[in-house]
Amino acid sequence: MLRLAVICCLLFTLLVPSSTQSDSNQPVIQLRLAGVKKKHYEGRVEVFYNGEWGTVCDDDFSIYAAQVVCRELGFTGAESWLPSAKYGKGEGRIWLDNVHCTGSEKSLAHCESNGFGVSDCKHSEDVGVVCSSKRIPGFKFIRNQGLTVQVEEVRIRATYSHRKRIPITEGFLEVKDGGKWRQICNEDWNQMNSRVICGMQGFPGEKRFNTRPYKLLASRRKKNYWGFSINCTGNEADLSDCKLGREIEKKGNSTCGKGMPVVVSCVPGRVFAPSVSIGFRKAYRVEQPLVRLRGGAMIGEGRVEVLKNGEWGTVCDDNWNIRTATVVCRELGFGSAKEALTGARMGQGIGPVHMNEVECSGFEKSLTECYFNPNSLGCSHEEDAAVKCNVPAMGFHNRLRLSGGRNPYEGRVEVLGERNGSLVWGTVCSDSWGTMEAMVVCRQLGLGFASNAFQETWYWQGDSSADAVVMSGVRCSGTELTLEQCLHHGKHVVCPKGGGRFAAGVSCTMTAPDLVLNAQVVEQTTYLEDRPMYALQCAHEERCLSGSADKADPSSYRRLLRFSSQIHNNGQSDFRPRASPQSWVWHDCHRHYHSMEVFTHYDLMSLNGTKVAEGHKASFCLEDTYCDEGIQKRYECANFGAQGITVGCWDTYRHDIDCQWIDITDVKPGDYILQVVINPNYEVAESDYTNNIMKCRSRYDGHRMWTYNCHTGGTLSSETEETFPGLLTNQLSHR
């Protein structure tokens, strides 16, 4: 359940009377969080004193003062504070300056300062805070002049016959106030209020419902009404952003005499719906989505990417806020946004920055309908916007667990499966178990990405009662929400050699690397070379030539399509080979170690996708060739050094080194597709595999090769024409 506050007076603010009003020696103040916010529990600190709102100067402000502010607002504590008007400049008086708190004060008014209204600051020095998202359980504000009341949690309580349905989309709305669950009178309730509640529960929209059974139930139940009504406009991301309505007069059984308890009915996103027909159709353009999320560790979070003119690009974080993030979340079939992230917090994207300074009303069906500035000058991928969305409580984690690990992020995979007509815990057969399957397990448990997939787990002492194999033949694409959604043998478990001590296991991590090939470098460095066989003995030994080379005369020539590869790590953790240095293979011919047997695949394909020539590039040396400014190189292959690619660095394979080619000796003239795939066997887990593939159009006349229209992350194959018009064109305009 989410903890939240119901707010009165001003939208986007938290108002609270000071708990000091009973102390005649202390001034009476009220606090709120205002400004341009990404979360409802952060903002510019504003103080209501002597009938006027004002701000607080950042001089001498500290985390201790932030703790006092947040606790006074009903949060459990503070995470950080921000100087220099990070949430925008306030207006009016600067009430407090040089604030000194110990952290134990009950109110900001108790802290030492220059005194109210004594300041030499400007509003460019207004201080802001980021509070913990958790509320103080049972916290009660002392009401003053009808200001605010806090609720701890909100839930949709299903009727008895619907409680086994997942997710719960319909039922009586209840708020937890003072530790007790209470209903809300529906006399002043409207559709916009329901829209906000559904968004908080992870649903993109609300719908009508049959009121008759609820009226019957309400007439038979004892009711405990909350004392207020709510007034939302519908574009709020959280109930704490709504205004408080009128006070409800409590008259025992006669309370809410003209109405009944509020009932809310929500529409689930298609991916969470019990069936496709029930799903939120408006949230999806199945034939071609316009917006997608990439790089997120959890369901419903990631970097925002937009499709324009057939090319995916990112959104600049200028003016990015929780209202705009909510439009994205609802469009994708999730609820409202929990957080609007800036500064490439979900990793840096590739390609153009399509949108800048996006402004949404909150009611748009797509981000592409919002006002924006198409001029992204000054925006880089370091400013890519991202979101975290509310998702429904599906209970996915209740059917899967990790057992025996050294920490909660690793262990033997145990699933709740059917055996002899009953549900029992058991293991998963490790035959064909790999990174994609591990990725699904980690996501299902809310543990982020997979860092390793294990095919033997004898060293983890799991639950002995769960040793039997209950699931086998698991094959995942990596996009499934649960392991049950992957292909598997069902009730007919077959596991000749993957059970017992060889049961499947995983280790998970909240961050992962993300390798991206620079398509422009490939396009600019492609050329042909004719090289004699006697100069290719090492490459031949490492299987970097086509099969016809096995019978070729040593004096004959091979035609090689050469190009350079520049591979960036745009993720949030270093890319490291899965194998330990002790297991790396020494190749005496080239005098180097192979840390990954296959790091990239190079293929030349016909326009219908048939391979006409192929080669592979063993990662004999994964190192930081160059790094972005301010980033230190960590990996160097010399002297048997550590191998990998640091975040913000790239590894360059020059066109003139062995195996950096495709052998096209046997290829006939014609039009082809050059394809490069990084980490093709998914040996190392990444946050996004869709950008591991790069495709170019190529034309070979028997003497020369032209390479053009190189794209990363595309599916440019047989359906594409000369300039790939098969991709959907979406013109985003400045309105």
Side-chain angles (χ1 to χ4, degrees), residues 471-486:
M471 195 177 209
S472 64
V474 181
R475 292 287 179 90
C476 303
S477 68
T479 60
E480 297 87 353
L481 300 182
T482 68
L483 205 60
E484 287 182 336
Q485 293 176 1
C486 300

Side-chain angles (χ1 to χ4, degrees), residues 229-524:
S229 60
I230 298 169
N231 184 15
C232 301
T233 62
N235 61 0
E236 298 89 350
D238 192 275
L239 201 60
S240 62
D241 295 326
C242 297
K243 295 178 182 178
L244 198 64
R246 68 180 178 90
E247 190 168 355
I248 302 296
E249 186 178 356
K250 294 191 177 182
K251 304 177 182 178
N253 291 335
S254 299
T255 305
C256 193
K258 297 181 180 179
M260 59 175 277
V262 166
V263 176
V264 174
S265 183
C266 306
V267 184
R270 180 172 300 198
V271 71
F272 302 108
S275 67
V276 174
S277 61
I278 299 175
F280 188 74
R281 290 182 178 273
K282 291 181 182 178
Y284 289 86
R285 294 174 176 84
V286 178
E287 68 280 0
Q288 181 64 72
L290 300 179
V291 178
R292 68 184 185 185
L293 301 182
R294 286 291 181 267
M298 305 292 189
I299 301 168
E301 67 177 45
R303 178 179 61 253
V304 180
E305 296 187 352
V306 181
L307 186 65
K308 177 186 176 184
N309 296 336
E311 186 174 12
W312 286 100
T314 61
V315 178
C316 188
D317 63 11
D318 292 351
N319 298 342
W320 189 251
N321 58 37
I322 201 161
R323 181 184 292 186
T324 304
T326 291
V327 172
V328 172
C329 292
R330 290 185 187 274
E331 177 180 4
L332 295 174
F334 304 112
S336 53
K338 289 190 292 187
E339 194 170 349
L341 300 167
T342 58
R345 287 268 301 280
M346 293 292 179
Q348 296 183 26
I350 57 174
V353 178
H354 281 325
M355 302 177 78
N356 184 25
E357 299 175 355
V358 185
E359 294 181 17
C360 302
S361 69
F363 294 102
E364 294 86 354
K365 292 182 180 179
S366 172
L367 183 69
T368 60
E369 297 176 7
C370 298
Y371 165 87
F372 71 97
N373 182 355
N375 185 353
S376 58
L377 288 176
C379 285
S380 69
H381 287 301
E382 294 177 354
E383 301 172 84
D384 285 344
V387 298
K388 288 186 178 181
C389 306
N390 287 313
V391 297
M394 301 295 292
F396 289 152
H397 59 284
N398 297 326
R399 301 185 62 86
L400 188 72
R401 69 188 184 189
L402 301 183
S403 182
R406 296 163 296 180
N407 58 62
Y409 284 81
E410 68 175 19
R412 184 177 75 177
V413 178
E414 295 178 358
V415 298
L416 198 58
E418 188 174 333
R419 194 176 182 89
N420 298 326
S422 59
L423 289 175
V424 296
W425 286 100
T427 59
V428 178
C429 184
S430 66
D431 275 357
S432 74
W433 186 259
T435 300
M436 286 304 188
E437 290 71 36
M439 282 290 224
V440 174
V441 167
C442 293
R443 186 186 302 115
Q444 182 175 348
L445 290 172
L447 299 178
F449 305 105
S451 56
N452 280 293
F454 300 98
Q455 290 189 323
E456 54 180 288
T457 51
W458 54 268
Y459 38 80
W460 285 329
Q461 294 298 316
D463 187 343
S464 59
S465 65
D467 284 344
V469 176
V470 296
M471 195 177 209
S472 64
V474 181
R475 292 287 179 90
C476 303
S477 68
T479 60
E480 297 87 353
L481 300 182
T482 68
L483 205 60
E484 287 182 336
Q485 293 176 1
C486 300
L487 293 173
H488 59 93
H489 290 156
K491 297 180 181 179
H492 306 287
V493 176
V494 180
C495 187
K497 54 182 180 180
R501 59 183 292 168
F502 297 104
V506 301
S507 62
C508 306
T509 177
M510 294 306 295
T511 59
D514 182 20
L515 298 188
V516 180
L517 181 68
N518 189 325
Q520 189 176 7
V521 169
V522 174
E523 187 169 331
Q524 292 173 348

